[in-house]
Amino acid sequence: MSLLRFDASRAFSADLGHDQTQYAKTLGEADSLRPEILEMPFFRLPAQQLADYVAIREESEVGRIFKIANSIHDKIDAVVVLGSDAATAGPIALRDACCDPYHNELCRAGRGSRPRMYFVGNHLDSDSIGALLNRLRSGGYGETAPETRWALVVIDPTGQTRETSVVLPHFITALKASLQRSPGESLGDYLIPITGKSGPLRQFALANGCREIYDQHPQIAESHSIFTAAGLMPAAMLALDCMKLLEGAVAMNEHFKTAAPEENWVMQYVAASRGANRISRIICLWTEALASVARWYTQIVDEPLASTVVSHPSGLLRQLESSESLPTSSLPDASSLPTDRPVIHHWSTAKWRMDPLSSPKFMHDDEPAEFSDAAPTATIPHLLADMIATSCEAVHQRGYRTTSFDLPHIDTFTLGQLFQMLMISTAIETGCRKIAASAV
């Protein structure tokens, strides 16, 4: 399995006012924080999950997740995941990156019997909540028994947070109503709680005979819970490879532990993101599959660290062209550049899931026949690759420092690496900020 590729060479150019002293200082600070990072619960969790599964299989958290996910998919056609923004951002990112972009619109056979998946509870939006309840009542796209049923995953430390306490009763009522059409089925078979050791949600789950109750990890923030049951259960229900997800995170851990600072992608990313006065970044997305991953990332970044903006290429270039009049033929003088300019991180993938589409010339009905048979000049991925190269160069020529994340392909292994790399880098940035504050 290959590691994702990260290139920060264009972030450390002397032509762009790169401060070698600041760079060396940041790498030194990041390296000094390495022992502390290695002991953080979120860092240790992926390897612990894998080790537990090898040691005790069905009794481990991962084994218990597989038991439910593998047995319930034949009974249901949809899953609702109810939780806060922080708790659901990771599962949403996994679904959007790994599943067909129109997954929920496909028929059951088109999804390989994997359930449609909806997320709720992250906003108190009455219209969207009511619309989802109506959608669930209408069932699937066929007439089979599973297409009349759905499951509910609830992620909440107690069941008493504001959004959960307001929204959950509506979905419990709807779930009970849906099961009236299935004699012999009980609420406990279709309610999957991920909660704290005590509280109303756990008591409700026990009283209704839930087959499994998964513990939230109190030492891990909800925004970092992608490798807990909160992230693994939705992924497993979508038949995503959770083992490869965890292995990807472990691979990034190993790279962070062993690579020298000058070759350490995590430390290089931190150094690239740190400006002279503040840290700010723009994520330029070259694939829609990673859009939700970028939105997840904006949630885990500690607000004092940065203003993080997610942009699509056309929007980014328009912003730069409208706000600046810098020449594009040569780099501006480094002394003329603002010291707090954001770093632009390009996110792309080298391999697409579907067969590449060609780019034939559009022709009207009266076009001469000899032109209508002309061969396409390139595939859309080839055209995109040219656009990425041109745009990256244009941004660089305007005096912006840039980096690139290039995923060899988008799967759970590379995503596990990316999630873990960004969580580690955020922990380092927080530590660097504390070091800077203590020095004042």
Side-chain angles (χ1 to χ4, degrees):
M1 303 295 290
S2 56
L3 292 175
L4 60 82
R5 295 183 286 269
F6 177 66
D7 181 7
S9 59
R10 284 195 161 184
F12 306 127
S13 170
D15 294 332
L16 299 182
H18 169 59
D19 186 338
Q20 184 65 31
T21 302
Q22 177 63 41
Y23 169 69
K25 178 183 177 183
T26 300
L27 286 186
E29 291 175 353
D31 197 26
S32 71
L33 291 166
R34 186 153 29 182
E36 179 182 340
I37 301 296
L38 298 184
E39 297 302 318
M40 288 186 172
F42 83 85
F43 184 93
R44 298 164 61 90
L45 180 63
Q48 187 63 56
Q49 293 278 43
L50 289 172
D52 288 350
Y53 183 70
V54 170
I56 54 177
R57 290 290 181 178
E58 289 81 6
E59 299 304 313
S60 68
E61 182 171 76
V62 173
R64 291 166 53 224
I65 288 169
F66 288 165
K67 180 175 70 174
I68 295 298
N70 294 339
S71 62
I72 202 172
H73 77 275
D74 287 335
K75 296 182 176 181
I76 61 171
D77 195 59
V79 176
V80 174
V81 181
L82 193 161
S84 68
D85 257 343
T88 58
I92 290 172
L94 281 169
R95 180 201 63 181
D96 292 353
C98 295
C99 295
D100 187 288
Y102 300 99
H103 173 82
N104 283 354
E105 295 185 26
L106 298 175
C107 67
R108 184 171 177 82
R111 287 179 269 117
S113 295
R114 293 182 293 176
R116 292 172 283 124
M117 186 166 284
Y118 305 98
F119 295 87
V120 71
N122 44 2
H123 300 290
L124 287 178
D125 183 333
S126 182
D127 283 349
S128 64
I129 294 168
L132 177 54
L133 289 167
N134 288 336
R135 176 67 190 88
L136 293 167
R137 293 186 190 104
S138 66
Y141 300 115
E143 302 298 328
T144 63
E147 290 174 284
T148 67
R149 295 190 291 261
W150 51 279
L152 177 61
V153 178
V154 185
I155 308 169
D156 191 275
T158 63
Q160 290 183 308
T161 58
R162 183 181 61 176
E163 289 81 1
T164 301
S165 63
V166 170
V167 176
L168 180 57
H170 294 282
F171 284 88
I172 291 294
T173 299
L175 183 56
K176 288 179 177 178
S178 73
L179 294 176
Q180 291 177 357
R181 293 173 286 182
S182 302
E185 302 287 355
S186 67
L187 179 67
D189 293 329
Y190 296 88
L191 175 63
I192 304 170
I194 303 169
T195 187
K197 294 287 189 181
S198 62
L201 179 55
R202 180 172 286 271
Q203 293 170 7
F204 182 83
L206 290 170
N208 283 275
C210 288
R211 293 173 59 195
E212 290 284 352
I213 303 174
Y214 301 91
D215 295 334
Q216 277 198 320
H217 294 244
Q219 70 277 30
I220 295 177
E222 280 193 326
S223 57
H224 289 56
S225 62
I226 191 74
F227 303 122
T228 72
L232 296 177
M233 175 56 79
M237 297 181 87
L238 289 170
L240 304 183
D241 194 332
C242 294
M243 301 301 287
K244 291 299 181 186
L245 180 71
L246 294 168
E247 289 169 6
V250 170
M252 183 53 64
N253 283 353
E254 189 63 23
H255 171 78
F256 172 70
K257 284 192 295 185
T258 59
E262 296 77 12
E263 300 174 352
N264 194 300
W265 293 338
V266 182
M267 297 183 190
Q268 291 287 306
Y269 178 76
V270 173
S273 297
R274 287 178 68 85
N277 296 326
R278 64 192 295 257
I279 308 173
S280 58
R281 53 182 68 83
I282 296 174
I283 299 170
C284 185
L285 293 170
W286 291 95
T287 169
E288 281 294 320
L290 296 177
S292 293
V293 179
R295 285 192 288 272
W296 164 82
Y297 178 50
T298 63
Q299 293 205 10
I300 73 164
V301 177
D302 192 5
E303 280 303 320
L305 292 177
S307 58
T308 303
V309 178
V310 179
S311 177
H312 289 83
S314 58
L316 173 64
L317 292 175
R318 279 198 304 269
Q319 291 172 14
L320 299 183
E321 289 168 358
S322 63
S323 63
E324 302 182 22
S325 58
L326 293 172
T328 59
S329 58
S330 61
L331 284 169
D333 182 71
S335 63
S336 68
L337 297 173
T339 57
D340 60 350
R341 277 188 158 196
V343 178
I344 299 172
H345 301 287
H346 295 280
W347 289 16
S348 62
T349 182
K351 188 175 180 180
W352 303 87
R353 287 177 295 196
M354 304 184 72
D355 292 337
L357 297 173
S358 60
S359 55
K361 177 184 175 184
F362 175 73
M363 310 229 179
H364 58 77
D365 293 341
D366 297 329
E367 193 86 21
E370 61 267 25
F371 294 110
S372 63
D373 295 331
T377 57
T379 64
I380 290 179
H382 285 141
L383 293 175
L384 181 64
D386 291 341
M387 187 184 298
I388 291 174
T390 301
S391 299
C392 289
E393 181 62 25
V395 170
H396 184 68
Q397 291 295 336
R398 283 181 166 82
Y400 284 85
R401 296 182 298 126
T402 63
T403 74
S404 64
F405 283 93
D406 184 20
L407 277 63
H409 42 263
I410 297 176
D411 60 11
T412 54
F413 184 74
T414 54
L415 288 171
Q417 297 173 53
L418 183 58
F419 283 125
Q420 193 73 344
M421 178 176 174
L422 294 173
M423 287 192 286
I424 297 171
S425 69
T426 300
I428 293 175
E429 289 175 12
T430 301
C432 289
R433 179 166 55 86
K434 291 178 179 177
I435 291 173
S438 64
V440 175

